[in-house]
Coordinates of all heavy atoms in Angstrom, one line a residue:
L148 N -5.0 17.9 -16.0 CA -5.6 16.8 -16.7 C -6.5 17.5 -17.8 O -7.1 18.5 -17.5 CB -6.5 16.0 -15.8 CG -5.7 15.3 -14.6 CD1 -6.7 14.5 -13.8 CD2 -4.7 14.3 -15.2
M149 N -6.6 16.9 -19.0 CA -7.2 17.5 -20.1 C -8.1 16.6 -20.9 O -7.8 15.4 -21.0 CB -6.1 18.0 -21.1 CG -5.2 19.1 -20.4 SD -3.6 19.2 -21.2 CE -2.7 17.8 -20.4
R150 N -9.2 17.1 -21.4 CA -10.0 16.4 -22.4 C -9.3 16.2 -23.6 O -8.4 17.0 -24.1 CB -11.3 17.3 -22.6 CG -12.1 16.9 -23.8 CD -13.2 17.9 -24.0 NE -13.9 17.7 -25.2 CZ -15.0 18.4 -25.6 NH1 -15.5 19.3 -24.8 NH2 -15.7 18.1 -26.7
S151 N -9.5 15.1 -24.3 CA -8.9 14.8 -25.6 C -9.9 14.4 -26.7 O -11.0 14.0 -26.4 CB -7.8 13.7 -25.4 OG -8.5 12.4 -25.3
T152 N -9.4 14.6 -27.9 CA -10.2 14.1 -29.0 C -10.2 12.6 -29.1 O -9.4 11.9 -28.4 CB -9.7 14.6 -30.4 OG1 -8.3 14.2 -30.5 CG2 -9.7 16.1 -30.4
R153 N -11.1 12.0 -29.9 CA -11.2 10.5 -30.0 C -9.9 9.9 -30.6 O -9.7 8.7 -30.5 CB -12.4 10.1 -30.7 CG -13.7 10.4 -29.9 CD -15.0 10.0 -30.6 NE -16.1 10.3 -29.8 CZ -17.4 10.3 -30.2 NH1 -17.6 9.9 -31.4 NH2 -18.4 10.6 -29.4
A154 N -9.2 10.8 -31.4 CA -7.9 10.3 -32.0 C -7.0 9.8 -30.9 O -6.2 8.9 -31.1 CB -7.3 11.3 -32.8
I155 N -7.0 10.5 -29.7 CA -6.2 10.1 -28.6 C -7.0 9.1 -27.7 O -6.5 8.1 -27.3 CB -5.7 11.3 -27.8 CG1 -4.9 12.3 -28.6 CG2 -5.0 10.9 -26.5 CD1 -4.6 13.6 -27.9
G156 N -8.2 9.5 -27.3 CA -9.1 8.6 -26.6 C -8.8 8.4 -25.2 O -9.5 7.6 -24.5
Q157 N -7.9 9.2 -24.6 CA -7.6 9.1 -23.2 C -7.5 10.5 -22.6 O -7.1 11.4 -23.3 CB -6.3 8.4 -23.0 CG -6.1 7.0 -23.6 CD -7.0 6.0 -23.1 OE1 -7.7 5.3 -23.8 NE2 -7.0 5.8 -21.7
I158 N -7.8 10.6 -21.3 CA -7.4 11.9 -20.6 C -5.9 12.0 -20.7 O -5.2 11.1 -20.6 CB -7.9 11.8 -19.2 CG1 -9.5 11.9 -19.1 CG2 -7.3 13.0 -18.3 CD1 -10.1 11.7 -17.8
C159 N -5.5 13.3 -20.9 CA -4.1 13.6 -21.0 C -3.6 14.4 -19.8 O -4.4 15.0 -19.0 CB -3.8 14.3 -22.2 SG -4.0 13.4 -23.7
R160 N -2.3 14.3 -19.5 CA -1.7 15.0 -18.4 C -0.4 15.8 -18.8 O 0.3 15.3 -19.7 CB -1.3 14.0 -17.3 CG -0.4 14.5 -16.2 CD -0.2 13.5 -15.1 NE 0.7 14.1 -14.1 CZ 0.7 13.7 -12.8 NH1 -0.1 12.7 -12.4 NH2 1.6 14.2 -11.9
A161 N -0.2 16.9 -18.2 CA 1.0 17.7 -18.3 C 1.4 18.2 -16.9 O 0.6 18.3 -16.0 CB 0.9 18.9 -19.2
D162 N 2.7 18.4 -16.7 CA 3.2 18.8 -15.4 C 4.0 20.1 -15.4 O 4.6 20.4 -16.4 CB 4.2 17.6 -14.9 CG 3.4 16.3 -14.6 OD1 3.2 15.6 -15.6 OD2 3.0 16.1 -13.5
S163 N 4.0 20.8 -14.2 CA 4.8 22.0 -14.1 C 5.5 22.0 -12.7 O 4.9 21.7 -11.7 CB 3.9 23.2 -14.1 OG 4.6 24.4 -13.8
S164 N 6.8 22.3 -12.7 CA 7.6 22.3 -11.5 C 8.0 23.8 -11.1 O 8.7 24.0 -10.2 CB 8.8 21.5 -11.6 OG 9.7 22.0 -12.7
D165 N 7.4 24.8 -11.8 CA 7.8 26.2 -11.6 C 6.6 27.1 -11.4 O 6.6 28.2 -11.8 CB 8.7 26.7 -12.7 CG 8.1 26.6 -14.1 OD1 6.9 26.3 -14.2 OD2 8.8 26.8 -15.0
G166 N 5.5 26.6 -10.7 CA 4.4 27.4 -10.5 C 3.5 27.7 -11.7 O 2.8 28.7 -11.7
G167 N 3.6 26.9 -12.7 CA 2.7 27.1 -13.8 C 3.3 27.9 -14.9 O 2.6 28.2 -15.9
L168 N 4.6 28.3 -14.8 CA 5.2 29.1 -15.9 C 5.5 28.3 -17.1 O 5.4 28.7 -18.2 CB 6.5 29.7 -15.3 CG 6.3 30.9 -14.3 CD1 7.6 31.3 -13.7 CD2 5.7 32.1 -15.1
T169 N 6.0 27.0 -16.9 CA 6.3 26.1 -18.0 C 5.7 24.8 -17.7 O 5.5 24.4 -16.5 CB 7.8 26.0 -18.3 OG1 8.4 25.4 -17.1 CG2 8.4 27.3 -18.6
W170 N 5.4 24.0 -18.8 CA 4.7 22.8 -18.7 C 5.3 21.8 -19.6 O 5.8 22.1 -20.7 CB 3.2 22.9 -19.0 CG 2.4 23.8 -18.1 CD1 2.4 25.2 -18.0 CD2 1.7 23.4 -16.9 NE1 1.6 25.6 -17.0 CE2 1.2 24.5 -16.3 CE3 1.4 22.1 -16.4 CZ2 0.4 24.5 -15.2 CZ3 0.5 22.0 -15.3 CH2 0.1 23.2 -14.7
T171 N 5.3 20.5 -19.2 CA 5.7 19.4 -20.1 C 4.7 19.3 -21.2 O 3.6 19.8 -21.2 CB 5.8 18.1 -19.4 OG1 4.5 17.7 -18.9 CG2 6.7 18.2 -18.2
A172 N 5.1 18.6 -22.3 CA 4.1 18.2 -23.3 C 3.1 17.2 -22.7 O 3.3 16.6 -21.7 CB 4.8 17.5 -24.5
A173 N 1.9 17.2 -23.3 CA 0.8 16.4 -22.8 C 1.1 14.9 -23.2 O 1.6 14.6 -24.2 CB -0.5 16.8 -23.4
R174 N 0.7 14.0 -22.3 CA 0.8 12.6 -22.6 C -0.5 11.9 -22.2 O -1.2 12.3 -21.2 CB 2.0 12.0 -21.8 CG 1.8 12.0 -20.3 CD 3.1 11.5 -19.7 NE 3.0 11.3 -18.2 CZ 3.1 12.3 -17.3 NH1 3.3 13.6 -17.8 NH2 3.0 12.1 -16.0
A175 N -0.9 10.9 -22.9 CA -2.1 10.2 -22.6 C -2.0 9.3 -21.4 O -0.9 8.7 -21.2 CB -2.5 9.4 -23.8

């Protein structure tokens, strides 16, 4: 979970299924 600028205005999330080696793009 990530802090965002006011341009997004929502906490964002990204996911990893391989132990943190790769991650999806962030989404609000």
